[in-house]
Amino acid sequence: MSEVIQAVRGMNDVLPAEIGTWQFLESTVRELVSSYGFQEMRVPVVEETRLFKRAIGELTDVVSKEMYSFEMGEEQLTLRPEATAGMCRALISNGMLRGPRHKLWCIGPMFRHEKPQKGRYRQFHQLDVEAVGFAGPDIDAELIAMTARLWRQLGITRVKLQLNSLGTSESRKAYRELLVAYFRSHEAKLDEDSKRRLEGNPLRILDSKNPELREIIARAPVLTEHLDAESRAHFDALCAAVKSIGIDYVVNPRLVRGLDYYSRTVFEWTTDALGSQDAVCAGGRYDGLISHLGGDATPAIGFAMGIERVVELLVQGQSVPAPRAADVFVVVSGEQAVAQALKIVERLRNELPNRRFEVNLGGGKFKAQFQRADRSGAPLALILGDDELSRGVVAVKPLRQESGQSDCPIDELAARIEAALRGPGG
Ligand code: ATP
Ligand code: MG
């Protein structure tokens, strides 16, 4: 016997028993983002490694430790760890920045070589939404309103919104110096990760999950108190808009993003229902990114939602509609019937394109076939037997009510099926 080959660690199969939840989420998302005027854009899963280095920053965990990078011939390539870099690259390489503004979304797999655990995988999926050419704060508020509406449509209640502003990169410089000075004066108490961040990415220390650092971080200078006047006004207007829409939020001055290109608005939806992987949707404004990638300077904001984590919330909340069962199960019995069954059912599928037919394939005794019919959930069975076919009819049998079976001429089957499925009232 050959050795069994397993899936790659941290990469999951989505099984048929789970796919209903994914499809419910995906179709709800599609409808919703379209209703806000967002258009889908599909970008490659593989990009040049230097795109991510430049867009995300070499000092981030994602780029320094988590990328799936490889060489093909001359090319240095990477499986995308997030979608924003590729979306911006596509806007630039397709000449889309001159001209209208863009409201875009995409959904798909992302890859990060992290330690796999519940809610944290090496291949995971994100919904990514980007609004390009908008300076906000109106669009920032609309994106937040759209995510709040998504939670309502999905029946998800255990989520909370946090907001913060990072100011502009200039105003951040002064704050950054203050912060570095503060942490330097407590350097002995910092952990290794934070010491490393002190050099390149000190704001990220605020985001540390190490409980021993909690107190030092709590007493650190607060970013929102060092905003430039314009960023202050932008943030106040955003908060007012979010409040007027009726969405609850808290300002979390320690909310910073791991990615370097953010400016002004950052937001995050977290949940208390998933344990320590509590972020379900994270977003922010990245006014500096597109010019940093060589495009015309263009303000933009976006967010990424972790699909696996939202799926888990849906499973916990049991708010997923039941999968749609077959409408008609076709029992097939006898040689002539086997030869004719597919032909008859194909014709019925032409006549009733919205109905679901499940044909008993591969034979089997009458009793076994009716057990399958029962499991299929179909309310109606057709019985294609040699005896019936020789008389030019098919037997029609309701499965979920007591009324008995009756013969129906083959030519009238479609009408009879439709009437039976609509029920006496229809
Ligand atoms: P975290 O703090 O959970 O590591 P992050 O800051 O790395 O999140 P982002 O890069 O902002 O996450 O990605 C947006 C969302 O994608 C997260 O809020 C989360 O829901 C989801 N996500 C990120 N990494 C993973 C992963 N390895 N597995 C599953 N979902 C993930
Ligand atoms: Mg992470």
Side-chain angles (χ1 to χ4, degrees), residues 277-336:
Q277 308 322 325
D278 63 353
V280 287
C281 174
R285 178 160 281 290
Y286 51 92
D287 293 343
L289 176 63
I290 292 175
S291 62
H292 186 59
L293 292 177
D296 299 341
T298 311
I301 180 169
F303 68 76
M305 183 176 291
I307 300 291
E308 280 79 357
R309 294 183 193 179
V310 179
V311 163
E312 183 59 29
L313 289 177
L314 288 171
V315 170
Q316 283 185 16
Q318 297 180 321
S319 49
V320 182
R324 195 176 146 195
D327 294 309
V328 180
F329 190 93
V330 184
V331 170
V332 186
S333 161
E335 248 169 65
Q336 214 203 332

Side-chain angles (χ1 to χ4, degrees), residues 151 156-162 268-281 309-310 312-313 316:
W151 307 135
I156 289 174
T157 51
R158 287 172 71 176
V159 285
K160 290 207 167 73
L161 174 65
Q162 300 181 15
E268 189 157 294
W269 289 92
T270 57
T271 177
D272 62 358
L274 296 180
S276 55
Q277 308 322 325
D278 63 353
V280 287
C281 174
R309 294 183 193 179
V310 179
E312 183 59 29
L313 289 177
Q316 283 185 16

Side-chain angles (χ1 to χ4, degrees), residues 9-298:
R9 203 161 105 81
M11 304 201 178
N12 301 311
D13 305 306
V14 180
L15 302 178
E18 304 157 329
I19 202 71
T21 313
W22 287 69
Q23 290 175 340
F24 170 60
L25 172 55
E26 287 165 6
S27 59
T28 308
V29 158
R30 271 202 182 88
E31 273 300 311
L32 178 70
V33 296
S34 311
S35 78
Y36 277 76
F38 286 82
Q39 291 180 304
E40 186 175 7
M41 181 159 85
R42 299 188 184 180
V43 294
V45 169
V46 178
E47 298 273 359
E48 281 196 52
T49 300
R50 62 196 177 119
L51 172 68
F52 300 116
K53 286 192 174 165
R54 207 189 303 170
I56 302 173
E58 307 231 19
L59 294 166
T60 56
D61 288 352
V62 170
V63 171
S64 65
K65 308 192 264 201
E66 299 171 358
M67 293 213 297
Y68 280 87
S69 297
F70 56 98
E71 212 174 276
M72 274 312 253
E74 303 276 89
E75 293 176 311
Q76 307 290 328
L77 304 174
T78 292
L79 302 184
R80 64 180 181 194
E82 52 99 62
T84 303
M87 294 289 270
C88 291
R89 195 271 309 135
L91 285 163
I92 299 168
S93 31
N94 293 288
M96 293 166 73
L97 291 174
R98 276 163 233 134
R101 305 178 293 182
H102 298 284
K103 290 169 106 177
L104 302 168
W105 66 281
C106 78
I107 197 164
M110 308 294 156
F111 302 84
R112 297 184 194 178
H113 197 265
E114 315 197 56
K115 188 162 159 252
Q117 52 197 286
K118 193 172 160 49
R120 193 176 291 291
Y121 309 106
R122 289 180 171 174
Q123 175 175 328
F124 62 100
H125 297 75
Q126 284 182 341
L127 163 68
D128 183 74
V129 173
E130 314 285 357
V132 177
F134 300 83
D138 48 1
I139 186 82
D140 309 27
E142 189 184 66
L143 282 183
I144 289 168
M146 187 170 81
T147 47
R149 186 175 298 279
L150 180 64
W151 307 135
R152 285 202 299 282
Q153 291 185 349
L154 295 173
I156 289 174
T157 51
R158 287 172 71 176
V159 285
K160 290 207 167 73
L161 174 65
Q162 300 181 15
L163 289 181
N164 194 22
S165 175
L166 300 176
T168 59
S169 58
E170 296 86 67
S171 71
R172 217 152 56 221
K173 259 181 217 143
Y175 170 73
R176 194 182 152 118
E177 276 167 29
L178 272 178
L179 195 66
V180 172
Y182 169 80
F183 282 126
R184 282 233 188 282
S185 67
H186 294 87
E187 198 164 348
K189 292 190 207 137
L190 295 183
D191 58 14
E192 284 312 308
D193 254 1
S194 303
K195 280 183 191 152
R196 214 163 18 83
R197 286 172 176 159
L198 200 46
E199 292 302 325
N201 198 353
L203 264 71
R204 222 8 189 144
I205 303 177
L206 299 172
D207 204 24
S208 166
K209 305 219 162 76
N210 183 349
E212 286 168 23
L213 296 185
R214 202 171 292 153
E215 227 180 281
I216 301 177
I217 290 172
R219 281 184 279 117
V222 172
L223 176 55
T224 15
E225 286 166 13
H226 294 87
L227 292 182
D228 59 288
E230 259 185 74
S231 296
R232 179 83 250 169
H234 191 279
F235 189 51
D236 289 345
L238 169 65
C239 292
V242 171
K243 199 165 168 191
S244 78
I245 299 166
I247 301 167
D248 290 331
Y249 67 91
V250 292
V251 174
N252 175 2
R254 275 166 276 284
L255 180 66
V256 293
R257 306 247 32 92
L259 313 181
D260 281 344
Y261 49 69
Y262 286 92
S263 56
R264 294 197 171 146
T265 308
V266 278
F267 67 94
E268 189 157 294
W269 289 92
T270 57
T271 177
D272 62 358
L274 296 180
S276 55
Q277 308 322 325
D278 63 353
V280 287
C281 174
R285 178 160 281 290
Y286 51 92
D287 293 343
L289 176 63
I290 292 175
S291 62
H292 186 59
L293 292 177
D296 299 341
T298 311

